[in-house]
Amino acid sequence: MDNKAQAENFSRSVAKIKEEIKKDLVGQDDIVNNVIIAIIAGGNVLLEGVPGVGKTRLVRTLGKTLKLPFSRIQFTPDLMPSDVTGTNIIEKDADGRMNTVFQKGPIFANLVLADEINRATPKTQSAMLEVMQEHRVTVANKTYSIAEPFFVLATQNPIEQDGTYPLPEAQMDRFMFKLLVGFPSVKELADIVSMTQITMEETADSVVDGATILEMRALAKTVPVAPDVLYYAMRLVARTHPELDDSGETAKKYVKYGCSPRAGQALITAAKVRALIDGRYNVSYEDIDALAYPVLRHRMKINYTAINERLTVDDVIARLIAENAKEKGTGKLDADAEKPAAVVADTADAESAVADGVAAESGDVKKKKKFGKKN
């Protein structure tokens, strides 16, 4: 199967997944699309929204559509790390001997909903770091791997901040996307009420399984990225750092801290999946611009100047994208790109002079007259 056919087949599979999700979820098309991108790309998602907008229903529906085990962890201040990862217990076997057995926690599932993750204490939050990054759990000096694909969708309420523990930057950076769930429109609200009056259970059918998701992930890794597009994406990440000399006016005026290199990795990895969803076997500038918001918004910190001017993080990202668009199609990831323009020009002149000298020796070009001397 050629690349075009593979991309079209990939796009059809994702379209079927979305079609099944719409049976149980009203609206939120961008949220659904980005969550699917993250699952295929192997990332995690932080979902911010008020209660009741369908976050739990989305993960449960995904579990049915993708035929994957689903678990939910309700984070509270008294939740312990062992309540998440699991713990060793003592069991008596058939012969009456006492044995230590590891009892797996709810984190051992393919799809995990970490509900209101910012309500847990830092001790419990830190237990999620290894799981989210390494896809494994270490208990009593023994490591247990989690079956692939593995996806964590964590939620937090932007309204209630009493009794919460803000996630540290190290943990925020491990989320591929931060998605903002808005309140539904009046028509969508009516559709939600009508749907739930019939049944509260999910009615979506299975479309793909875990093995298919891993195959789609492997295909996405093979999607090529043109040097200009790669340079464009990396320049966008670099523009979030005000301490760099060439970061641009927006970062120096509105940004306090820039994004980590994981932002660049997430941009390219997710852009490859997005391209295949659109039926393309190449990454475009549009993919980078569209994914910049969910990738960058939780990795950069705006300063008081931006807050005083009532700018949100997304407003600053929009300005960074507009600034970066001026360099579209001009970047090169080769040796000449690192040389100043004058050096490149001098090198070209030198090569031309050498060529003329060689030609003169062979008799193809007449010797040039020197200025300031008579014939």
Side-chain angles (χ1 to χ4, degrees):
M1 188 181 295
D2 60 5
N3 295 336
K4 183 178 180 180
Q6 286 181 316
E8 292 175 351
N9 188 44
F10 189 104
S11 180
R12 283 193 297 269
S13 297
V14 174
K16 291 179 181 177
I17 295 173
K18 293 179 181 178
E19 186 178 345
E20 291 299 320
I21 291 176
K22 285 183 178 179
K23 293 180 180 179
D24 298 319
L25 199 71
V26 176
Q28 309 292 1
D29 293 339
D30 288 341
I31 300 296
V32 171
N33 191 61
N34 285 328
V35 168
I36 292 174
I37 289 175
I39 291 175
I40 297 175
N44 304 302
V45 171
L46 178 62
L47 211 57
E48 188 173 282
V50 297
V53 291
K55 300 184 290 291
T56 305
R57 194 176 182 88
L58 170 60
V59 180
R60 282 206 309 257
T61 302
L62 279 169
K64 292 192 67 174
T65 306
L66 306 179
K67 203 184 297 184
L68 294 173
F70 156 77
S71 69
R72 173 179 177 173
I73 307 172
Q74 186 66 47
F75 283 80
T76 56
D78 60 346
L79 195 72
M80 298 299 292
S82 58
D83 296 329
V84 175
T85 60
T87 186
N88 288 322
I89 62 174
I90 298 177
E91 282 187 349
K92 184 183 292 186
D93 60 17
D95 298 329
R97 289 190 296 265
M98 307 299 287
N99 297 316
T100 301
V101 179
F102 177 67
Q103 182 69 42
K104 293 182 178 181
I107 199 67
F108 283 86
N110 292 112
L111 301 180
V112 178
L113 174 62
D115 214 357
E116 295 189 276
I117 190 173
N118 58 329
R119 288 197 177 278
T121 59
K123 183 178 182 179
T124 304
Q125 290 177 3
S126 64
M128 295 286 293
L129 290 179
E130 182 186 17
V131 185
M132 293 171 57
Q133 183 67 25
E134 307 294 339
H135 295 192
R136 61 188 183 187
V137 172
T138 302
V139 177
N141 296 326
K142 190 171 182 179
T143 300
Y144 304 89
S145 298
I146 297 178
E148 297 287 348
F150 176 69
F151 171 72
V152 174
L153 190 146
T155 69
Q156 60 181 14
N157 187 343
I159 300 175
E160 295 180 358
Q161 298 300 324
D162 294 337
T164 62
Y165 302 86
L167 297 178
E169 282 72 15
Q171 189 164 352
M172 292 285 285
D173 201 28
R174 279 159 172 78
F175 289 102
M176 175 176 277
F177 294 155
K178 179 182 179 182
L179 306 179
L180 307 178
V181 185
F183 195 78
S185 64
V186 174
K187 184 181 182 307
E188 290 174 342
L189 194 58
D191 292 339
I192 292 171
V193 173
S194 300
M195 176 188 295
T196 53
Q197 291 299 308
I198 299 173
T199 178
M200 291 293 292
E201 297 295 325
E202 292 77 27
T203 60
D205 296 323
S206 299
V207 176
V208 298
D209 55 12
T212 306
I213 292 294
L214 295 178
E215 290 175 3
M216 296 170 77
R217 183 180 301 175
L219 175 62
K221 290 180 179 180
T222 66
V223 175
V225 182
D228 280 347
V229 178
L230 179 61
Y231 176 85
Y232 179 81
M234 298 306 103
R235 282 293 296 138
L236 181 59
V237 175
R239 283 183 181 277
T240 65
H241 286 264
E243 72 275 10
L244 299 181
D245 294 334
D246 58 346
S247 59
E249 181 181 351
T250 300
K252 295 184 183 303
K253 185 176 182 180
Y254 297 119
V255 180
K256 185 177 182 181
Y257 299 114
C259 301
S260 74
R262 284 197 184 100
Q265 293 173 322
L267 264 180
I268 296 301
T269 304
K272 291 181 176 183
V273 179
R274 188 179 189 272
L276 288 175
I277 290 176
D278 289 345
R280 292 177 284 106
Y281 195 73
N282 65 285
V283 176
S284 67
Y285 296 109
E286 183 185 355
D287 295 325
I288 304 300
D289 291 344
L291 293 169
Y293 295 95
V295 169
L296 303 181
R297 64 165 58 108
H298 60 295
R299 289 184 165 97
M300 58 183 285
K301 303 292 183 184
I302 57 177
N303 57 24
Y304 288 113
T305 302
I307 296 173
N308 289 335
E309 295 185 18
R310 297 183 178 181
L311 295 178
T312 64
V313 177
D314 283 9
D315 293 333
V316 176
I317 293 174
R319 298 191 180 198
L320 291 172
I321 293 174
E323 220 174 50
N324 199 48
K326 298 175 183 178
E327 296 187 10
K328 190 177 292 185
T330 62
K332 292 182 179 180
L333 293 177
D334 54 22
D336 288 342
E338 299 176 359
K339 296 179 182 178
V343 175
V344 176
D346 292 343
T347 302
D349 292 342
E351 292 176 350
S352 177
V354 171
D356 289 344
V358 172
E361 291 179 1
S362 62
D364 294 334
V365 177
K366 295 181 180 179
K367 294 183 179 180
K368 295 182 180 180
K369 298 179 181 178
K370 295 183 179 180
F371 290 99
K373 291 186 178 181
K374 294 183 180 180
N375 295 334

